[in-house]
Amino acid sequence: MIANDVDPIELVVWLPALCRKMNVPFCIIKGKSRLGKVVHRKTATCLAITEVHPDDKGALSKLTETIRTNYLERWDELVKKRGGGKMGAKTTSRLAKIRSAKEKELLLRTE
């Protein structure tokens, strides 16, 4: 579990990539104070569960399954797609100039 309001963000920004690489379920929790309540501190930036009482294994497996289905398997849907693959006017005109310059150079070479 990773808090969303960590400052500086560099403390936890690498954790989601590592968790995905190692196939460890993770989730982003709203507020580091909520994580702090779990560990009886004022705040906590992240939380890793290593041991579970036998009585709580069912609850942990349910939580893990919920995280996997609602968050990790839908990661590509949830990640924002910036720009939508559309180029701006400046980029379009710059690429058109480059393309026309290449075409002129190719014509000069063939003649």
Side-chain angles (χ1 to χ4, degrees), residues 19-82:
C19 290
R20 277 194 302 277
K21 182 179 179 182
M22 303 301 283
N23 198 22
V24 174
F26 72 96
C27 61
I28 309 293
I29 302 295
K30 186 176 181 179
K32 55 188 175 185
S33 62
R34 289 183 180 181
L35 284 181
K37 288 179 184 176
V38 174
V39 293
H40 305 291
R41 301 274 181 212
K42 186 175 179 183
T43 60
T45 59
C46 58
L47 172 70
I49 300 172
T50 57
E51 286 186 23
V52 180
H53 286 279
D55 302 338
D56 298 328
K57 286 193 181 210
L60 179 64
S61 65
K62 182 179 177 185
L63 176 67
T64 303
E65 186 62 32
T66 303
I67 289 170
R68 283 191 195 276
T69 56
N70 293 338
Y71 190 73
L72 299 178
E73 292 175 359
R74 294 180 43 217
W75 179 257
D76 293 330
E77 296 173 25
L78 298 174
V79 174
K80 292 181 181 178
K81 307 284 191 246
R82 299 189 186 266

